[in-house]
Amino acid sequence: MTLQKVVIRVTMVDQNKSRVKAMKIAVTAFGVESVALSGDSKDQIEVIGEGIDVVELTKLLRKKIGSAELLSVGPAQAEDKKDEKKNEASVFPLVEQGSVLRLNIGSASQLDIVATFDVDEEAPQSIEEADADYSCTSSGVAVTRGVLGPFGFLVLADESLTELTAVYFYIGKGIDGRAKTHFCADQSRSSSASDTEKLIYGSDVPVLHGEKLSMRLLVDHSIAESFVQGGRRVITSRVYPTKAINGAAKVYMFNNATGTSVTASVKVWQMNSANLRPYPLTEDQL
């Protein structure tokens, strides 16, 4: 099936809220692989994917936002789809408090994810008491909610979210009143099997003044390798999913914070397995 590129103009009364709402509607539509804002006023939603119900998406945007006009529908150009074997998810502007957002990219068993997160610089001031003793391993799992976290990704997850590996940030408040950032990998729900270790790893990570939070995740069937802030911390998780395997594996973004929404910029590429040949080579392979 050919990749489509759909452009819809949305009239936005409250631009920030309307953009967020429009992007959330578009990214959860069937067949959508990437979503981006375009136009001088950033009032156009560009959607790329396969089998998109253009009429239904336009009607839904019109119903939820107030006004939506279908500008164009056509095949995605080479520069839009990059490599047909690599699906790239574009920018998701906001992950709201208490939300889980699925990235519709097909199979998510082999991925390369690059993401940056923006959190309101004043948000740490909303934490009334210091939580300098926060620890990834002893202060609860990814479902535990704090004012500024956790937020991040659920990888190697199944459709029902009974199996998942959470990789996330948690921002606490040190005794000096400054933000203290932690990076964690939670394997406690990584498998339905009872005979596997399901540990939680992590530590605090230095974040420079004015620096965005960033992570890169490499997911390969039963391994999730996480690099944070350019490699200042690295966590390798070995997990044994029984449901979230091959085509059944999904990837989600989540934000369990109670005190802030998170602006996220994400790119996701699907990876292929290596084509390995036995050694020594046979005569017909030489």
Side-chain angles (χ1 to χ4, degrees), residues 173-191:
K173 187 175 183 180
I175 56 176
D176 59 359
R178 296 181 180 179
K180 186 174 183 180
T181 303
H182 304 265
F183 185 65
C184 315
D186 177 6
Q187 303 175 27
S188 62
R189 296 169 61 191
S190 61
S191 176

Side-chain angles (χ1 to χ4, degrees), residues 26 45 64 76 81 101 112 131-132 154 171 184 193 217 239 254:
I45 306 292
K64 298 293 185 180
K81 62 183 180 180
L101 176 64
D112 185 352
D131 51 358
L154 306 176
I171 302 175
C184 315
L217 307 179
V239 297
F254 78 100

Side-chain angles (χ1 to χ4, degrees), residues 77 110 112 147 163 196 255:
Q77 302 300 314
Q110 292 178 285
D112 185 352
V147 177
E163 283 189 345
T196 64
N255 178 14

Side-chain angles (χ1 to χ4, degrees), residues 97-98 145-149 255-260:
Q97 302 169 28
R145 303 190 66 180
V147 177
L148 300 182
N255 178 14
N256 276 341
T258 61
T260 187

Side-chain angles (χ1 to χ4, degrees), residues 74-112:
Q77 302 300 314
E79 59 269 22
D80 295 321
K81 62 183 180 180
K82 307 293 182 185
D83 183 340
E84 288 185 353
K85 293 184 179 180
K86 293 182 178 180
N87 288 332
E88 179 181 330
S90 189
V91 175
F92 300 89
L94 191 69
V95 187
E96 296 178 337
Q97 302 169 28
S99 65
V100 177
L101 176 64
R102 177 176 164 182
L103 306 188
N104 294 314
I105 61 168
S107 174
S109 60
Q110 292 178 285
L111 299 176
D112 185 352

Side-chain angles (χ1 to χ4, degrees), residues 61-73:
L61 286 168
R62 190 175 295 137
K63 179 180 178 181
K64 298 293 185 180
I65 305 299
S67 176
E69 177 186 0
L70 180 61
L71 298 182
S72 65
V73 181

